[in-house]
Amino acid sequence: ILNVEQSPQSLHVQEGDSTNFTCSFPSSNFYALHWYRWETAKSPEALFVMTLNGDEKKKGRISATLNTKEGYSYLYIKGSQPEDSATYLCALYGGSQGNLIFGKGTKLSVKP
Amino acid sequence: DVKVTQSSRYLVKRTGEKVFLECVQDMDHENMFWYRQDPGLGLRLIYFSYDVKMKEKGDIPEGYSVSREKKERFSLILESASTNQTSMYLCASSFTGAGANVLTFGAGSRLTVL
């Protein structure tokens, strides 16, 4: 059974702090790596889809990197804001239609 | 602008009742999914469907069934609800092929079984 690990499980930061968290996955079963943001009372929304080793994607203050050889991805948030408070999910896509394996998420709380 | 709609945000049912959770998407996606989310366990796949009348078991299908009679609609059925099925249920859809199966989620249905 494929296992996707996310760390830390939760994170509390002050507004303005920069932060990062990790997604680890088995490098032998890689097709794509997804990051989703799930705000309370809303639907999870896709942030990034990463497919190539060395990929780096950016959306505003949020960026992500990918290392498929060692099986990890980092998500960075620069200058965290209260509206960044959410659970961040990563998911490994193994290439078949139903095969999207989610990690348990990192819950980020940003205090004003 | 809602693209994946789940019929009920909150439901309270009694043990043994039959429960239907409905999901409709307006993006003409081939694939549809039902997940449940529980604290400390993350999102777990119950069933998915890649075409009308097709269904595949996910990681935790026991106690559930699904129906996909039309492309846009995917229903999750709890034949006899039990308390351990109290959870948040998320429906999602995606295209096949290019895009690496990026999911569009509904808002979720929080089911409580008493």
Side-chain angles (χ1 to χ4, degrees), chain B residues 4-87:
Chain B
V4 178
T5 304
Q6 293 184 228
S7 55
S8 306
R9 287 300 303 272
Y10 300 96
L11 301 96
V12 180
K13 298 291 181 180
R14 297 211 173 270
T15 301
E17 281 192 77
K18 191 169 186 175
V19 182
F20 292 88
L21 298 179
E22 305 284 348
C23 177
V24 177
Q25 51 95 4
D26 63 1
M27 296 167 288
D28 202 35
H29 283 171
E30 295 89 350
N31 307 315
M32 296 189 75
F33 306 82
W34 275 105
Y35 289 89
R36 64 179 280 179
Q37 194 267 343
D38 300 288
L41 295 177
L43 282 173
R44 294 181 293 167
L45 181 64
I46 305 170
Y47 266 98
F48 66 100
S49 168
Y50 53 86
D51 202 353
V52 175
K53 297 192 185 293
M54 305 301 288
K55 60 184 179 183
E56 295 285 343
K57 292 180 179 179
D59 299 319
I60 51 164
E62 297 79 18
Y64 302 96
S65 62
V66 290
S67 172
R68 189 147 182 222
E69 297 295 318
K70 293 184 178 181
K71 189 176 185 180
E72 66 271 18
R73 187 179 295 270
F74 192 36
S75 303
L76 181 69
I77 303 156
L78 288 67
E79 294 289 343
S80 178
S82 63
T83 55
N84 63 11
Q85 292 178 309
T86 292
S87 188

Side-chain angles (χ1 to χ4, degrees), chain A residues 7-95:
Chain A
S7 62
Q9 190 174 6
S10 65
L11 198 52
H12 298 264
V13 301
Q14 289 293 134
E15 182 175 354
D17 288 350
S18 293
T19 187
N20 66 86
F21 21 95
T22 306
C23 174
S24 303
F25 53 87
S27 55
S28 58
N29 294 86
F30 182 84
Y31 187 87
L33 194 286
H34 298 197
W35 281 100
Y36 293 84
R37 175 170 59 198
W38 192 2
E39 297 178 67
T40 302
K42 294 186 179 180
S43 313
E45 291 184 337
L47 281 174
F48 304 115
V49 177
M50 309 177 79
T51 56
L52 298 175
N53 185 44
D55 239 358
E56 183 169 342
K57 302 241 174 167
K58 190 173 180 181
K59 184 182 286 188
R61 295 177 291 97
I62 304 177
S63 60
T65 60
L66 178 67
N67 184 323
T68 59
K69 294 184 178 178
E70 295 183 36
Y72 65 84
S73 175
Y74 293 140
L75 190 80
Y76 299 91
I77 303 178
K78 185 177 177 182
S80 303
Q81 300 296 309
E83 59 265 31
D84 296 327
S85 296
T87 296
Y88 291 83
L89 299 167
C90 73
L92 176 68
Y93 179 51

